Amino acid sequence: MRTLVKGARKGAAPGGTGETVAAAERNPAKGSPTVAVAPRDHRRRGTPFGLRTRLILAFLLVAGVSAVGTAGLTYREARNSVLQAAQDTAVSSFRDQIQLLTLTLPVQRPVLEGTLRDIAGKGKPRPWVVFAEYGTMRVSSGSNPVSSVITPELRRKAAGYPHGSFERVIKDGVPYLTVGMPVVFEAGEGAVLSTGLVLYAVMKMTYEQNQVEALVTAARNGALPGLAIALIPALLAARSVLRPVRELRRAAHRMGSGRLDTRIKVRGGDELADLARTFNESAGQLERSVTELRQAEARARRFASDVSHELRTPLAGMLAVTEVLDEDAAGLDPDTAQAVRLISAETGKLAVLVEDLMEISRFDAQAAELNTDEVDAAETIRRTLRNRNWTDLVHTDVPDGIRARLDPRRFDIVIANLVGNALRHGGPPVTVRLRTRTDRDGGPLLVTEVIDRGPGIRPEVLPHVFDRFYKADAARTRSSGSGLGLAITRENVRLHGGTVRAENAPGGRGAVFTVEIPLGTGEVTG
Amino acid sequence: MPRVLLIEDDPSVREGVELGLRRRGHDVRAVATGEAGLAALDDFRPDLLLLDLMLPGVNGVEVCRRVRENSQLPIIMLTARGDDFDIVIGLEAGADDYIVKPARTQVIEARIRAVLRRIDEQPGNGRPAVEFHGELCLDRSALTVAKAGRRLALAPSEMRLLLHLSATPAQVFSRQQLLEQVWEHNYHGDARLVDACVRRLRHKIEDAPGNPRYIQTLRGFGYRFGPL
Amino acid sequence: MRRLPMAMGAVLLSGLLTGCGIAESDPIEAGSPASVKVTPGDSVLLFFRSSSGALVPVARPLGIKWKSSDTRPEAVLSRSVHLLFEGLVAKERAAGLRSGLPQLPPQSWVGAQQVEYGIALDLPIPLADLDDTAVRQLVCTAGFAGGSQGVQAVHLRGTDGTMAASNCDADVDINRVAPRPSMMSHPPSQRPVPPGLPLDGHDPVDPRTKRPDGLSPQPTLPTSEPR
């Protein structure tokens, strides 16, 4: 199974290879994106008070207030003028009709009756019922001598300082206009005396009521459709704002997932268009920067790779003839022999170093491939030891039957490196132990421990053992290693999605290197 | 000692490998280009071809393909390990094995011996020389395979793999086991070698390469021959 | 926070809607009262009262005989006041009016004089017998008698004293009638009447003082129409 982990392909943020490889540690198989996509926006379903709702409410409110306000004010004015017209007409025509009369004092009932009927018939805007009160005399033009609609307040007003007055009374839901008109006469020059007679006119205002109700209906019928129609511009306005906003959100989301070539169409010339333009410019700049960085990274990779490659070519020729040199060295004079052996040995070391460098640079370029195979872990370890003839030197505690998905070549390198270090720098007995355990999240782990009983690792050295070219003892002569062994081991383990750590053995004697690799799903048998 | 034709464009590598192999007793012809190599095939008649992948002009994969068109000459690719993609193509094109540069002559020689041993080996002893499996007819002594009467041209690695698997039908071999036993890779080798060879072999002997009868895959375990 | 404008709108709407229709009102002033003509034009105004106590003017048509008697203002005044004391006629009673004045003692008469600030009425009765409305009735009747404008101040002089002058307030709001005039301590000065001027059946005589010529008063009262 081939798994390619190329963080660059997923639009990695140029935050350095460390992060991307860190991501690869955990998910080599998935090749997860290295830039986290924002959690699904929980407001996408449309909140109660989203933009659209707010706009619609605002529009409706404006339309409602203006419609109601206008309608209300207009209606009120119209109603008042309707009433005023009716009232003024009634009062003045009542007065005019009365002023045509000539009375005797005291007023006589029969005369009064006739007069009232006369006046009633001539009522404006429509016929009235006229009542007269003179002393104890109560006369009317209708059937009842006394009206139930004339209020005591009106009587009081009419009986006071003489002037005409009117009142609106509602009885049984019917509005009435009552006019009270005291009758005066001129007694001598300039002296106006009250005759003691007060005439009342009662008029139904059903017609005016109908008019007013018609006004109300008209106002309502005008306002409500207006409100409904106001919805249309509200929706249009909301759409015109929401669409660009949604576009922007989608574009931002796409940008976040790594598609830096996302652009928004700029429509119109308002603030949203400015925003879109700004977004495009920023996206363009971001894309350029990222492209530059990627190109720089690619160039660096190529350079490292080219350099190593170039190094290998001369080495290939040199390495091929080292055996010849070794074989014939014995036949040369001692100095030349020593020189030849020196060259041969160093060529070999150089070849190892260059190989390690190539390996490390491949990791750095995220170009390392994991070629996994399902193998028996114990058998793999045993084979590693066998191939290097370490079987007798190393104790093994490796139970059979643990199958794991490993890259056998890389795992072999890891085990060989750790065991080789244990044999060289640690001390006997060297033990390799294999077991499984479950990690915090419930996933199964393959645990390999390489334990030695040597001097252990000094505390100040411990955090740096996996660093590149780190030699524990600066004064120590160069060992056979390139200084990259543990770094390569760590990268190989990381590639498998696992971890490797170094610690001193409990009890103080020796060191323990622990490699933990996820077993994958459901692969533990036995 | 086997005659080796070396096609390698870099002079130092060419000289070094030639020198090393000659010291070991091989008869070596070293050329710098693919065209010269193809020309030297008829002329030199090597027992094995050492072929660099990265060649100017006609590149190594193309040379490999051309050789395989009409020859079962054992081919070992020389490659720098960074060229993973090309390794696959080279293997698909018909190379029997590959060596990563730089390599000691000792390693090169071991590989040459392993590849050539396929041809020299005589399994014999007690087993019938000719076997019939389905439509296949295997002759272990003559080292021929025929399908439905027609002779198949198999590369050395393919032949050896087929013989190995069919010697114990229905037995499962892991890729690591096959690498060790068929290719004699001491250290954990590249399983792609096996996969590419199986692919080539299936292409030649199976009726439907997508639904193999003879060379069957057991996911997570390896390959086996049959059962039919 | 967003609900506030919605609530405001609802309130506005409901407020306007409930203010619909025609609403009742209080009595509202609406201009001048109706002014009519009263017949006959040459009647005399007598002020009686309604059952509720309000002054009610009555236009009593008078005959030629009444008119052609002594036309001196004082004589007309005296005759008008006498008419008032005589009370209502049938028509007036039928209209529900009341007199409200006490009866004059027999053979007495009412004197009227022009004085400094207006008119003085000499009544043969104590002023205490008159209630407030009666005072006003007398003041108004005297004020409007003989076609005068009614703006003259009227003193009432009774057997028990003299009242301060007052004007007729019949054209004033009933709720704002003037209080009863108070009794005066010093009676106003009188304009002397030219002596020797005979009246037709009537002499303006102060019942408290005798005429220098010693004639005794003759209580002859003309009547306007048969009772």
Side-chain angles (χ1 to χ4, degrees):
Chain A
M1 190 179 99
R2 193 160 303 181
T3 315
L4 183 63
V5 180
K6 268 202 159 71
R9 275 232 211 110
K10 306 282 182 199
T17 55
E19 294 161 5
T20 48
V21 176
E25 271 179 30
R26 280 293 149 207
N27 296 303
K30 280 160 64 173
S32 58
T34 52
V35 177
V37 176
R40 193 171 178 80
D41 195 342
H42 62 279
R43 275 191 269 172
R44 264 175 66 180
R45 66 177 182 276
T47 53
F49 279 120
L51 193 59
R52 186 196 298 276
T53 317
R54 288 212 300 268
L55 273 174
I56 290 178
L57 283 180
F59 266 71
L60 285 183
L61 186 66
V62 166
V65 166
S66 57
V68 165
T70 309
L73 289 172
T74 310
Y75 155 78
R76 216 161 51 113
E77 286 309 307
R79 178 192 64 180
N80 289 351
S81 90
V82 161
L83 287 179
Q84 199 166 345
Q87 281 151 193
D88 287 352
T89 308
V91 168
S92 56
S93 81
F94 194 40
R95 188 186 295 115
D96 291 346
Q97 287 299 316
I98 298 173
Q99 289 185 159
L100 296 174
L101 300 175
T102 308
L103 296 176
T104 59
L105 293 182
V107 182
Q108 308 293 315
R109 178 181 276 268
V111 174
L112 199 54
E113 281 173 359
T115 310
L116 291 188
R117 270 196 286 275
D118 210 26
I119 295 177
K122 300 205 187 96
K124 287 200 178 35
R126 62 198 71 93
W128 309 311
V129 180
V130 186
F131 299 82
E133 294 178 4
Y134 183 70
T136 53
M137 209 191 302
R138 300 283 182 268
V139 188
S140 88
S141 66
S143 41
N144 287 343
V146 181
S147 167
S148 51
V149 180
I150 297 177
T151 60
E153 290 87 15
L154 188 67
R155 283 205 185 83
R156 239 202 312 278
K157 242 204 161 59
Y161 190 79
H163 50 67
S165 50
F166 70 88
E167 191 187 7
R168 289 195 298 272
V169 179
I170 299 185
K171 188 166 98 88
D172 299 336
V174 180
Y176 292 91
L177 180 69
T178 54
V179 185
M181 194 64 69
V183 182
V184 300
F185 71 101
E186 227 174 279
E189 290 171 36
V192 172
L193 291 177
S194 172
T195 57
L197 172 70
V198 183
L199 292 182
Y200 296 95
V202 173
M203 185 181 82
K204 266 199 207 169
M205 291 214 285
T206 345
Y207 176 76
E208 281 78 17
Q209 189 183 37
N210 292 343
Q211 271 189 314
V212 164
E213 269 167 23
L215 283 176
V216 173
T217 313
R220 194 178 48 229
N221 291 350
L224 287 180
L227 278 186
I229 290 174
L231 268 175
I232 297 176
L235 288 171
L236 285 175
R239 195 163 70 98
S240 81
V241 173
L242 275 178
R243 197 165 30 128
V245 167
R246 241 184 268 123
E247 255 183 57
L248 188 63
R249 197 183 58 78
R250 251 177 296 174
H253 189 90
R254 269 206 296 275
M255 283 271 291
S257 354
R259 295 206 280 283
L260 296 177
D261 57 350
T262 311
R263 299 286 182 274
I264 306 179
K265 204 160 33 156
V266 176
R267 266 180 285 235
D270 62 350
E271 288 86 344
L272 287 168
D274 281 345
L275 180 62
R277 216 171 290 125
T278 309
F279 177 90
N280 287 344
E281 281 164 15
S282 309
Q285 279 169 6
L286 186 64
E287 195 183 14
R288 274 192 295 278
S289 313
V290 169
T291 311
E292 272 172 31
L293 283 163
R294 281 192 205 158
Q295 281 169 356
E297 198 184 3
R299 277 196 297 273
R301 269 205 311 277
R302 270 200 305 276
F303 180 74
S305 163
D306 291 346
V307 162
S308 305
H309 197 87
E310 293 303 311
L311 283 177
R312 294 212 317 224
T313 309
L315 263 180
M318 288 160 64
L319 197 61
V321 300
T322 50
E323 290 145 3
V324 176
L325 290 174
D326 285 334
E327 280 170 16
D328 290 354
L332 301 167
D333 68 79
D335 286 339
T336 316
Q338 196 180 353
V340 160
R341 285 201 194 93
L342 177 72
I343 287 178
S344 178
E346 294 307 312
T347 304
K349 290 180 196 159
L350 192 57
V352 170
L353 179 59
V354 168
E355 273 316 301
D356 286 352
L357 273 174
M358 274 298 288
E359 190 74 1
I360 276 285
S361 82
R362 249 195 295 274
F363 284 121
D364 283 349
Q366 295 139 40
E369 279 189 22
L370 199 66
N371 300 316
T372 58
D373 200 1
E374 205 180 297
V375 292
D376 183 297
E379 189 51 42
T380 309
I381 294 176
R382 274 195 286 268
R383 192 176 296 142
T384 301
L385 298 176
R386 205 169 39 236
N387 283 339
R388 290 166 180 78
N389 300 319
W390 286 340
T391 316
D392 299 330
L393 301 172
V394 175
H395 298 168
T396 54
D397 174 12
V398 291
D400 286 313
I402 304 177
R403 295 189 71 80
R405 197 156 272 279
L406 302 168
D407 182 328
R409 183 180 68 83
R410 292 186 190 272
F411 192 66
D412 167 72
I413 292 174
V414 166
I415 300 296
N417 172 250
L418 292 177
V419 172
N421 284 348
L423 288 171
R424 267 193 301 274
H425 306 301
V430 173
T431 315
V432 176
R433 190 179 304 148
L434 183 70
R435 58 190 171 86
T436 60
R437 76 173 181 87
T438 319
D439 74 359
R440 232 173 316 135
D441 304 323
L445 290 177
L446 180 75
V447 181
T448 315
E449 288 169 333
V450 176
I451 307 154
D452 73 85
R453 287 266 174 262
I457 308 172
R458 287 204 308 277
E460 62 269 22
V461 168
L462 199 49
H464 300 292
V465 280
F466 292 103
D467 290 355
R468 298 170 188 191
F469 299 115
Y470 189 86
K471 293 289 175 68
D473 193 339
R476 269 223 325 238
T477 54
R478 202 162 32 101
S479 60
S480 63
S482 61
L484 290 171
L486 279 173
I488 290 176
T489 292
R490 185 167 63 167
E491 296 294 338
N492 273 325
V493 169
R494 265 206 206 133
L495 209 56
H496 281 88
T499 57
V500 58
R501 62 174 187 273
E503 45 207 0
N504 283 310
R509 284 267 307 167
V512 179
F513 281 79
T514 313
V515 175
E516 293 182 341
I517 295 176
L519 274 172
T521 52
E523 242 128 303
V524 181
T525 54
Chain B
M1 286 295 274
R3 296 151 68 85
V4 176
L5 174 62
L6 170 65
I7 310 180
E8 167 62 63
D9 67 311
D10 185 270
S12 66
V13 179
R14 196 170 59 239
E15 274 183 43
V17 173
E18 186 186 352
L19 178 59
L21 285 177
R22 190 164 301 131
R23 278 297 286 255
R24 295 270 175 166
H26 294 275
D27 195 357
V28 181
R29 170 87 73 92
V31 297
T33 65
E35 294 92 342
L38 288 168
L41 275 177
D42 298 319
D43 181 43
F44 182 61
R45 303 210 156 274
D47 298 311
L48 179 128
L49 176 60
L50 266 184
L51 175 57
D52 179 32
L53 266 190
M54 290 288 136
L55 292 173
V58 181
N59 72 34
V61 176
E62 187 56 33
V63 171
C64 189
R65 238 184 246 129
R66 285 203 205 166
V67 169
R68 276 279 169 266
E69 270 172 22
N70 44 28
S71 161
Q72 268 48 256
L73 181 66
I75 304 177
I76 300 182
M77 289 190 314
L78 288 176
T79 172
R81 195 179 291 147
D83 309 316
D84 292 329
F85 191 56
D86 296 317
I87 291 178
V88 175
I89 293 195
L91 290 175
E92 298 279 337
D96 294 293
D97 204 342
Y98 70 95
I99 301 175
V100 177
K101 292 186 288 187
R104 295 175 183 274
T105 310
Q106 184 184 4
V107 171
I108 297 175
E109 234 222 332
R111 245 357 118 69
I112 293 174
R113 271 207 299 273
V115 168
L116 291 179
R117 193 173 307 139
R118 299 164 208 170
I119 309 298
D120 295 340
E121 180 172 88
Q122 301 272 0
N125 23 330
R127 244 200 292 245
V130 177
E131 293 170 3
F132 291 91
H133 303 277
E135 291 180 332
L136 295 178
C137 171
L138 290 143
D139 188 339
R140 285 183 188 275
S141 50
L143 295 173
T144 57
V145 173
K147 176 174 160 128
R150 216 179 60 242
R151 268 277 272 275
L152 294 177
L154 295 182
S157 52
E158 296 161 14
M159 175 63 82
R160 192 160 180 214
L161 178 63
L162 180 58
L163 290 178
H164 185 84
L165 286 177
S166 60
T168 51
Q171 180 178 346
V172 180
F173 294 92
S174 77
R175 278 180 276 189
Q176 293 304 317
Q177 284 172 316
L178 290 173
L179 275 171
E180 253 184 51
Q181 292 158 14
V182 176
W183 277 273
E184 295 178 31
H185 280 213
N186 283 338
Y187 296 91
H188 290 284
D190 200 333
R192 287 177 297 178
L193 203 48
V194 181
D195 291 339
C197 191
V198 165
R199 255 198 299 279
R200 290 199 318 264
L201 189 56
R202 276 182 179 155
H203 198 74
K204 290 180 181 173
I205 69 174
E206 298 283 356
D207 303 318
N211 195 13
R213 267 173 66 201
Y214 303 104
I215 312 290
Q216 294 177 5
T217 307
L218 266 80
R219 281 193 66 87
F221 288 95
Y223 298 104
R224 68 175 177 202
F225 188 83
L228 297 168
Chain C
M1 210 297 213
R2 299 263 163 239
R3 283 190 275 275
L4 189 58
M6 286 181 70
M8 267 172 28
V11 164
L12 199 68
L13 203 69
S14 61
L16 280 174
L17 284 177
T18 52
C20 284
I22 300 181
E24 292 197 338
S25 76
D26 296 331
I28 301 169
E29 244 185 63
S32 52
S35 177
V36 297
K37 288 216 174 356
V38 168
T39 55
D42 54 357
S43 46
V44 72
L45 275 182
L46 299 175
F47 286 81
F48 292 105
R49 61 173 78 176
S50 68
S51 50
S52 58
L55 279 184
V56 178
V58 159
R60 187 78 68 80
L62 301 168
I64 301 283
K65 191 159 163 255
W66 198 94
K67 283 208 229 342
S68 56
S69 17
D70 193 344
T71 54
R72 281 180 301 161
E74 292 89 345
V76 172
L77 259 173
S78 176
R79 283 207 298 274
S80 305
V81 175
H82 270 284
L83 269 180
L84 186 68
F85 272 104
E86 279 168 23
L88 301 160
V89 298
K91 260 202 300 197
E92 288 154 10
R93 233 178 270 122
L97 301 177
R98 286 211 282 267
S99 167
L101 289 173
Q103 288 248 333
L104 282 182
Q107 308 280 313
S108 63
W109 58 93
V110 175
Q113 284 168 351
Q114 206 70 36
V115 293
E116 220 177 290
Y117 300 115
I119 304 169
L121 277 183
D122 293 310
L123 301 171
I125 50 167
L127 291 183
D129 281 357
L130 300 170
D131 62 15
D132 297 354
T133 312
V135 168
R136 291 175 63 224
Q137 281 174 262
L138 284 166
V139 166
C140 287
T141 306
F144 278 94
S148 60
Q149 290 82 352
V151 297
Q152 296 205 58
V154 175
H155 284 282
L156 294 180
R157 284 205 287 240
T159 50
D160 55 351
T162 307
M163 219 175 247
S166 59
N167 289 88
C168 176
D169 59 2
D171 53 355
V172 165
D173 193 335
I174 190 174
N175 302 316
R176 289 190 286 145
V177 299
R180 184 195 180 90
S182 52
M183 304 294 284
M184 289 175 63
S185 43
H186 303 285
S189 59
Q190 304 173 357
R191 232 190 300 155
V193 177
L197 208 63
L199 290 175
D200 188 8
H202 194 83
D203 278 336
V205 171
D206 184 349
R208 289 185 298 239
T209 61
K210 285 209 185 305
R211 279 186 52 174
D213 60 358
L215 284 175
S216 53
Q218 294 167 21
T220 320
L221 301 167
T223 57
S224 57
E225 60 187 85
R227 300 231 179 119

